[in-house]
């Protein structure tokens, strides 16, 4: 039942993403066309949640796609995330989007009662993202659901092998020409997924 809820959320996020192009194409007046043209060119501005601006893909309908690899500092977790978003025509400083993420964790040390375990987990999630740009500074937040499955390297009968949990996060981004700095905190509600709680910081200076 929990996995059904997760898939329902992911389908809803997919429907939301698919509707972005329809929103951009509904009105054909000159002002809208001019804004869409600026969005295609980018004007040097990237969404508040974007990591490296040069990695963004801008579609003809104004949708911006950002893909990022995920690698935890401890080396246990790897994966990727994909964000599709847009900025409303009436609120060009506001960024809205949908994020999809996939993570694999191998032999993560954890505890079950008094026993120590090594656990392998796989998670698939979807979140809604909203951000605002204030000059060179940007703030964003996200919230969604994640479905996960786990198994102990040495099986334990009372280990919870699957579940659904909420994920929330927020971040800040500082962007200047030739320089981007980003800080993000992401947190999972389920204790069994605490190894995915992540605080990341990055500085990007393209050459």
């Amino acid at each position: 039942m929990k996995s059904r809820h997760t898939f329902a959320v992911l389908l809803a996020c997919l429907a939301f993403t698919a509707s972005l192009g329809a929103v951009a194409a509904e009105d054909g007046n000159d002002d809208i066309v001019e804004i869409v043209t600026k969005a295609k060119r980018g004007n040097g501005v990237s969404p508040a949640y974007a990591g490296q601006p040069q990695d963004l893909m801008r579609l003809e309908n104004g949708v911006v796609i950002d893909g990022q690899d995920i690698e935890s500092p401890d080396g246990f977790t790897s994966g990727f995330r994909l964000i599709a978003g847009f900025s409303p025509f009436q609120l060009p400083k506001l960024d809205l989007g949908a994020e999809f993420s996939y993570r694999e964790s191998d032999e993560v040390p954890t505890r079950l009662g008094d026993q120590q375990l090594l656990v392998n987990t796989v998670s698939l999630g979807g979140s809604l993202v909203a951000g605002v740009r204030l000059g060179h500074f940007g703030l964003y937040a996200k919230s969604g659901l994640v479905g996960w499955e786990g198994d102990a390297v040495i099986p334990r009968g009372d280990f919870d092998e699957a579940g659904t949990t909420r994920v929330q996060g927020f971040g800040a981004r500082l962007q200047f020409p030739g320089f981007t700095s980003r800080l993000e905190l992401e947190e999972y509600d389920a204790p069994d997924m605490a190894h995915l709680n992540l605080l990341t910081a990055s500085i990007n200076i393209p050459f």
Side-chain angles (χ1 to χ4, degrees):
M1 183 64 69
K2 291 181 178 180
S3 61
R4 292 181 182 176
H5 292 168
T6 302
F7 289 128
V9 171
L10 293 177
L11 288 174
C13 290
L14 284 170
F16 172 78
T17 304
S19 68
L20 298 180
V23 171
E26 279 182 357
D27 196 331
N29 63 54
D30 293 339
D31 292 337
I32 298 293
V33 171
E34 181 180 356
I35 295 174
V36 171
T37 301
K38 290 181 180 179
K40 293 178 191 176
R41 295 173 181 169
N43 290 327
V45 176
S46 58
Y49 51 77
Q52 300 182 13
Q54 67 270 23
D55 291 340
L56 297 178
M57 179 184 298
R58 300 179 186 272
L59 305 184
E60 291 295 322
N61 57 9
V63 174
V64 178
I65 298 177
D66 183 20
Q68 303 170 14
D69 291 329
I70 299 172
E71 188 75 33
S72 64
D74 56 22
F76 291 122
T77 302
S78 61
F80 65 90
R81 67 177 57 168
L82 182 68
I83 306 177
F86 76 115
S87 298
F89 299 136
Q90 300 84 354
L91 300 169
K93 299 294 185 181
L94 179 66
D95 302 312
L96 303 176
E99 175 184 296
F100 309 96
S101 63
Y102 173 83
R103 291 172 171 84
E104 286 188 12
S105 301
D106 296 325
E107 299 186 359
V108 178
T110 186
R111 297 187 66 88
L112 181 62
D114 296 331
Q115 299 180 358
Q116 290 186 339
L117 297 177
L118 294 178
V119 178
N120 300 325
T121 63
V122 175
S123 67
L124 177 66
S127 302
L128 297 181
V129 184
V132 61
R133 284 171 278 116
L134 306 170
H136 296 289
F137 187 66
L139 291 171
Y140 65 94
K142 61 184 175 182
S143 180
L145 288 177
V146 172
W148 63 274
E149 293 183 356
D151 60 89
V153 175
I154 300 176
R156 293 289 188 273
D158 49 358
F159 179 74
D160 192 3
E161 296 183 350
T164 303
T165 184
R166 286 186 56 196
V167 58
Q168 53 272 329
F170 63 89
R173 196 272 316 272
L174 184 64
Q175 181 181 9
F176 292 96
F179 173 87
T180 302
S181 177
R182 187 168 177 263
L183 179 70
E184 179 178 289
L185 173 65
E186 193 171 41
E187 184 177 18
Y188 291 74
D189 281 349
D192 291 327
M193 301 298 286
H195 62 278
L196 293 183
N197 293 342
L198 195 61
L199 176 64
T200 57
S202 64
I203 296 177
N204 177 46
I205 304 176
F207 293 98

